[in-house]
Amino acid sequence: MATVLVVEDEPAIAESLAYSLKREGYGVQIAATLADAESKVELAELIILDLMLPDGSGFELLAGLRRLERPPAVIILSSRDAEADRVAGLETGADDYVTKPFSPREVVARVRAVLRRTSRAAATTGIAQLPLTADAATRRAAVNGVALELTRVEFDLLASMLEAPGRVFTRAQLIERIWGDNFAITDRTVDSHVKALRRKVSEAGGDAQLIETVRGVGYRVSDEPTAGLDEP
Ligand code: CA
């Protein structure tokens, strides 16, 4: 089983997470400071990262991980009112986030989902079992095998999100991938293309909610093989 590094300076939170993770069979390391976390990073397949630490910001750790050959996956613990932190975290390379207060069960479920996703990406076994598909070579997209007639932008949106099913993409990340640094493109533009994409998925008999809105952050394509609902 994978080792999870819990970076959290509040002992009660760190211990309840450690307890729940161990019960599921994960190896657990705890770090209460940035310095402590930096010395334990290499041991972990996944890091649960609180952003407000006594000796600095979790963002510093996150930025440093990019230099590793095999960076661990990261789930950010963010405060309820820190929407900007969630967006910044995802743009700095975090894989997911959990908002405080959370239930340890919810966090364990996220850990499992992120590890499943990242090991699947490493194994290159593909994502053929997902309801939505987009083949970059032929530019053909489908839902449950039913072809979708998409515009260039709709296809690029879907293909971008399908590179990492289950991962949240911010609107800024999607804009950068699809339009580059065209400053005329706004968040609203992304929203309207997603809306059109959902309508086409629905008209083809698919579930429009396979493309989920993550409120205040962005969008993701469901990584559930069957239904499109993994939000609580
Ligand atoms: Ca803290």
Side-chain angles (χ1 to χ4, degrees), residues 153-161 174 178 190 193-194 197:
V153 168
E154 288 157 10
F155 181 89
D156 289 344
L157 260 176
L158 181 61
S160 296
M161 290 189 284
L174 292 169
I178 295 159
V190 178
H193 287 290
V194 168
L197 181 55

Side-chain angles (χ1 to χ4, degrees), residues 162-178:
L162 278 172
E163 282 172 24
R167 173 168 184 154
V168 186
F169 288 86
T170 68
R171 291 175 177 83
Q173 285 173 326
L174 292 169
I175 289 171
E176 206 210 316
R177 278 157 178 266
I178 295 159

Side-chain angles (χ1 to χ4, degrees), residues 46-60:
L46 185 144
I47 300 177
I48 298 175
L49 181 62
D50 181 35
L51 291 175
M52 305 255 281
L53 295 163
D55 56 342
S57 159
F59 281 120
E60 291 172 44

Side-chain angles (χ1 to χ4, degrees), residues 8-10 50 52-53 100:
E8 167 64 76
D9 58 313
E10 288 174 58
D50 181 35
M52 305 255 281
L53 295 163
K100 289 180 179 180

Side-chain angles (χ1 to χ4, degrees), residues 166-225:
R167 173 168 184 154
V168 186
F169 288 86
T170 68
R171 291 175 177 83
Q173 285 173 326
L174 292 169
I175 289 171
E176 206 210 316
R177 278 157 178 266
I178 295 159
W179 289 278
D181 45 9
N182 179 342
F183 296 107
I185 305 297
T186 67
D187 289 358
R188 292 265 174 191
T189 312
V190 178
D191 295 343
S192 72
H193 287 290
V194 168
K195 196 173 163 196
L197 181 55
R198 280 189 179 134
R199 197 188 63 236
K200 290 181 181 180
V201 167
S202 175
E203 284 168 3
D207 179 355
Q209 291 312 309
L210 288 168
I211 300 153
E212 299 165 21
T213 299
V214 182
R215 204 163 61 85
V217 178
Y219 295 102
R220 71 169 144 210
V221 170
S222 167
D223 60 347
E224 294 299 316

Side-chain angles (χ1 to χ4, degrees), residues 39-97:
S39 72
K40 290 175 174 164
V41 154
E42 308 263 1
L43 305 169
E45 273 87 50
L46 185 144
I47 300 177
I48 298 175
L49 181 62
D50 181 35
L51 291 175
M52 305 255 281
L53 295 163
D55 56 342
S57 159
F59 281 120
E60 291 172 44
L61 187 76
L62 197 49
L65 294 178
R66 287 173 168 177
R67 290 192 287 271
L68 296 178
E69 200 176 314
R70 292 185 59 229
V74 177
I75 297 175
I76 285 180
L77 298 180
S78 87
S79 308
R80 179 170 290 284
D81 53 354
E83 188 173 300
D85 280 354
R86 293 198 281 279
V87 172
L90 293 165
E91 286 173 355
T92 314
D95 296 273
D96 206 347
Y97 66 88

